[in-house]
Amino acid sequence: MLVTLRPLALDDTAAVHDWARLPESCRYQAWGPNTYEQTQAYVRAAVAAPPDRLVFAVPLDGEVVGSAELKLHGGHPSPSATGAWER
């Protein structure tokens, strides 16, 4: 399966919250389960992030099913790249 990424957008908040609220989706993450307000704050911060923090939506069949983040140090990806997805 080919994974497609696109920049996360404010319109993705509801889709992100669909999995960010689930304990099984964030079991191994430092966050969550999120309230809707926490998810809104995350998406807003991600959209407004500086250029060294790249946050992507993972769309599948027209539905956002996950997110991925890449942090750049000195113009290069760091080993701290993370992601979360539902499927």
Side-chain angles (χ1 to χ4, degrees), residues 4-12 46-47 54-59 64 67-68:
T4 303
L5 302 176
R6 65 162 174 74
L8 194 66
L10 292 175
D11 290 344
D12 297 324
V47 169
L54 306 173
V55 186
F56 301 99
V58 181
V64 175
S67 66

Side-chain angles (χ1 to χ4, degrees), residues 3-81:
V3 175
T4 303
L5 302 176
R6 65 162 174 74
L8 194 66
L10 292 175
D11 290 344
D12 297 324
T13 301
V16 171
H17 191 64
D18 281 346
W19 75 82
R21 64 183 176 79
L22 301 173
E24 61 269 23
S25 293
C26 52
R27 180 179 353 173
Y28 302 109
Q29 303 294 332
W31 51 265
N34 284 5
T35 64
Y36 191 80
E37 291 76 20
Q38 289 170 317
T39 301
Q40 278 183 311
Y42 164 75
V43 173
R44 284 183 184 139
V47 169
D52 63 343
R53 179 182 176 211
L54 306 173
V55 186
F56 301 99
V58 181
L60 180 65
D61 298 329
E63 176 185 350
V64 175
V65 297
S67 66
E69 184 168 333
L70 186 63
K71 294 180 183 175
L72 302 176
H73 297 278
H76 302 287
S78 76
S80 63

